[in-house]
Amino acid sequence: MAIATAEQTSPQSNPLDILEELVAANEWRFDRSSDEEMVVELTGRWCDYRMLFAWHEDLSAVYFSCLFDLRIPVRKRTAALELLALVNERLWLGHFELGSEDLLPIYRHTVLLRGAESRSVEQLEELVDIALTECERFYPAFQFMLWGGHTPQAALDAAMLETVGEA
């Protein structure tokens, strides 16, 4: 998913300001409830996503989560957790988990920015781009498991099948 870019800022700036520019440039819906938190909603290829960004100034860290619009039925919870474990083995950054109350898959990652010369626009853009790419890449595996009746391993294998060309 290609995303629009924002401008470079100083080390003292709040990285959520950069992310707000990025979100606005992509014309995504968002709510900036405080200087430390922002919620973004967007439509992906497979479903709607809700992203949460939280800035912790003392740690100089941006916490990020991306929630799928896909509720896991209670009877499929164990299979979903097995699928998440298999998916997480394939990730370099961040991880997926299942919300304990609402049973929604969530991608999470935290970026430490301490010591950076400036709040890297590219670093924050990559945070969003990688998360959306991973969510879009693994969403079909959940569909294959939930609605196709596949085992977690078979669902992941089917979702990771690379197609060549177009029909």
Side-chain angles (χ1 to χ4, degrees):
M1 174 181 278
I3 57 175
T5 61
E7 296 180 21
Q8 196 76 21
T9 61
S10 70
Q12 293 77 28
S13 67
N14 182 333
L16 295 190
D17 296 338
I18 298 169
L19 287 164
E20 186 174 334
E21 287 181 35
L22 174 68
V23 165
N26 284 284
E27 298 180 353
W28 296 332
R29 295 177 310 276
F30 72 96
D31 179 35
R32 181 89 180 259
S33 57
S34 71
D35 285 343
E36 293 81 30
E37 191 171 289
M38 181 170 59
V39 176
V40 179
E41 294 180 348
L42 67 119
T43 300
R45 179 176 176 197
W46 304 109
C47 71
D48 292 333
Y49 298 107
R50 177 175 287 214
M51 297 185 286
L52 168 69
F53 299 93
W55 167 238
H56 193 298
E57 189 171 6
D58 292 344
L59 293 175
S60 192
V62 174
Y63 165 82
F64 170 73
S65 65
C66 185
L67 183 76
F68 283 38
D69 183 19
L70 175 71
R71 191 167 308 279
I72 306 295
V74 173
R75 70 183 188 289
K76 297 272 189 167
R77 183 176 193 264
T78 300
L81 290 170
E82 183 180 339
L83 177 58
L84 287 174
L86 294 169
V87 165
N88 283 333
E89 289 176 356
R90 296 174 179 251
L91 297 178
W92 278 74
L93 298 172
H95 68 280
F96 283 94
E97 59 187 60
L98 194 60
S100 59
E101 291 181 22
D102 53 19
L103 297 181
L104 296 170
I106 306 167
Y107 174 87
R108 293 184 183 211
H109 186 59
T110 300
V111 175
L112 297 172
L113 300 172
R114 188 179 313 272
E117 289 296 315
S118 64
R119 305 290 186 227
S120 169
V121 172
E122 293 82 11
Q123 187 176 19
L124 296 171
E125 289 170 350
E126 284 294 315
L127 169 69
V128 174
D129 190 42
I130 288 169
L132 290 175
T133 298
E134 298 296 18
C135 289
E136 294 278 284
R137 180 166 76 133
F138 292 111
Y139 182 87
F142 287 97
Q143 289 295 322
F144 291 142
M145 183 200 67
L146 292 173
W147 313 121
H150 295 287
T151 66
Q153 184 63 59
L156 183 61
D157 291 344
M160 296 294 91
L161 181 64
E162 295 292 328
T163 58
V164 178
E166 290 184 24

